[in-house]
Amino acid sequence: MNLIHKNILRDEMPKLNHKIIITKEVCEKDFKGIVSLFTIISIDNAIWIKKDDRQLCIADVGYKWLQFSPENENWWLTVVYNSQEQLVESYFDITKENILVNKANPKFIDMFLDVVFSIDDEPVILDEDELKSAVEENLITISDYEMAILLAKRIVNCYNRNKAKYYKWVDRFYKMLR
């Protein structure tokens, strides 16, 4: 197991043959960092995930990923839209570090822990077992582990208290970039 570096261009996803990406540096009261809209033009095979008792497509031709790369935070948000521009899922990666030096392609170091939700579902914290393994293998510290757990719980609580505000905030950035 190794810590995984991911970037806004999603180079770690070889199935994506052609994509269009628009990035914007943002410095506002409620967000400082880079926001991007990633549109899939061509993909070898759609990417499906199992969600509860159903299959959910998160990447296919015409799908868009709105990505938030915040400065001085330990999260990275990807909001998935289908080809009809309907919001499919929000996915917070808990990160060890966000590296925004290259404004056209910022990256993050993934700490395995994630918070995932859609409009109809409650948020779920995923992959806590992988986070524990990262501590056991000395890839992250106990302090990193505790920070990740607390942040994931904070995201869940914040979302549960502010659902309408969250979707309005995401929609504002989506409209800004499309």
Side-chain angles (χ1 to χ4, degrees):
M1 172 187 274
N2 290 313
L3 291 179
I4 300 168
H5 290 74
K6 296 181 180 177
N7 61 46
I8 217 162
L9 296 177
R10 296 304 199 173
D11 293 330
E12 79 279 0
M13 298 180 70
K15 291 182 173 189
L16 299 174
N17 299 325
H18 184 63
K19 57 202 174 242
I20 296 172
I21 189 163
I22 300 166
T23 60
K24 181 172 179 60
E25 193 168 357
V26 176
C27 188
E28 296 184 6
K29 180 181 154 193
D30 60 353
F31 182 81
K32 185 174 182 181
I34 297 170
V35 181
S36 73
L37 186 62
F38 177 108
T39 303
I40 300 170
I41 304 301
S42 175
I43 186 170
D44 287 342
N45 298 303
I47 299 172
W48 293 81
I49 60 168
K50 185 170 173 61
K51 181 142 185 174
D52 301 322
D53 59 346
R54 59 185 158 71
Q55 294 289 317
L56 181 68
C57 184
I58 59 164
D60 203 353
V61 173
Y63 274 55
K64 295 175 174 59
W65 291 3
L66 181 65
Q67 296 179 90
F68 294 82
S69 318
E71 230 177 68
N72 302 316
E73 296 287 346
N74 291 100
W75 56 267
W76 181 291
L77 172 61
T78 303
V79 182
V80 177
Y81 293 86
N82 66 20
S83 57
Q84 288 80 45
E85 298 193 43
Q86 298 164 318
L87 196 148
V88 173
E89 176 179 75
S90 295
Y91 196 101
F92 281 88
D93 286 283
I94 306 301
T95 64
K96 184 166 178 60
E97 181 182 10
N98 295 343
I99 304 160
L100 308 183
V101 175
N102 179 350
K103 304 296 185 194
N105 192 19
K107 61 184 176 180
F108 67 94
I109 302 171
D110 190 359
M111 286 217 307
F112 307 110
L113 195 66
D114 307 298
V115 177
V116 182
F117 52 86
S118 62
I119 291 174
D120 301 329
D121 298 327
E122 291 301 311
V124 176
I125 297 174
L126 299 175
D127 302 327
E128 192 171 347
D129 56 333
E130 291 182 32
L131 184 68
K132 286 178 185 173
S133 293
V135 171
E136 291 165 3
E137 294 182 28
N138 294 315
L139 298 174
I140 63 172
T141 65
I142 295 289
S143 178
D144 291 334
Y145 173 88
E146 292 169 348
M147 176 279 298
I149 295 291
L150 288 173
L151 179 56
K153 289 178 181 177
R154 195 176 93 219
I155 290 168
V156 168
N157 291 334
C158 186
Y159 172 76
N160 284 334
R161 287 191 321 271
N162 301 288
K163 288 180 184 180
K165 188 176 178 181
Y166 168 80
Y167 289 109
K168 186 176 179 181
W169 180 78
V170 165
D171 190 54
R172 178 169 59 94
F173 286 101
Y174 184 69
K175 288 177 179 170
M176 178 191 304
L177 293 174
R178 69 171 188 180

